[in-house]
Amino acid sequence: TAAVASPAGSFARIRTTAIYPGAETAGIGRRGFEAFVGGRGNGCLRAKGYMPYGKDGAMMLFQLAGKRMEWSPSTYDGAPYFVMIGIDLDEAKIRQEWERLARK
């Protein structure tokens, strides 16, 4: 069977947001982080990144697909970051919410 071409613009609502938290991750625990990323409802389809929630602050790879979040040990030695991909994600709002969480 032949593939059916999707209409132009069918992915126009897909948005990505990358957050590079730096030192502000110190005040945000793993549960708070999971609630933040998972709190996008059905809007966030996928998220992935590295956060310092391993033993003694070691970087861990996290991946969110749908409602399932997994953490894995990592040898990544760079700065923490994460990327969210979803439908109609409001980057400005996500950044504001992250900054509010980091100030707590």
Side-chain angles (χ1 to χ4, degrees), residues 69-80:
M69 187 173 294
E70 292 182 1
W71 291 90
S72 305
S74 172
T75 58
Y76 175 74
D77 64 354

Side-chain angles (χ1 to χ4, degrees), residues 7-84:
S10 64
F11 298 103
R13 295 176 54 205
I14 300 292
R15 300 281 184 265
T16 62
T17 298
I19 304 281
Y20 301 89
E24 64 196 40
T25 59
I28 302 170
R30 183 168 158 174
R31 285 187 186 192
F33 175 77
E34 288 178 354
F36 175 81
V37 174
R40 309 289 120 208
N42 293 329
C44 183
L45 305 172
R46 185 96 164 80
K48 186 174 185 175
Y50 295 92
M51 295 297 286
Y53 297 133
K55 185 177 180 181
D56 298 324
M59 288 293 181
M60 292 190 72
L61 168 67
F62 87 90
Q63 298 186 69
L64 172 76
K67 303 265 185 230
R68 183 176 169 183
M69 187 173 294
E70 292 182 1
W71 291 90
S72 305
S74 172
T75 58
Y76 175 74
D77 64 354
Y81 76 93
F82 61 96
V83 177
M84 300 169 72

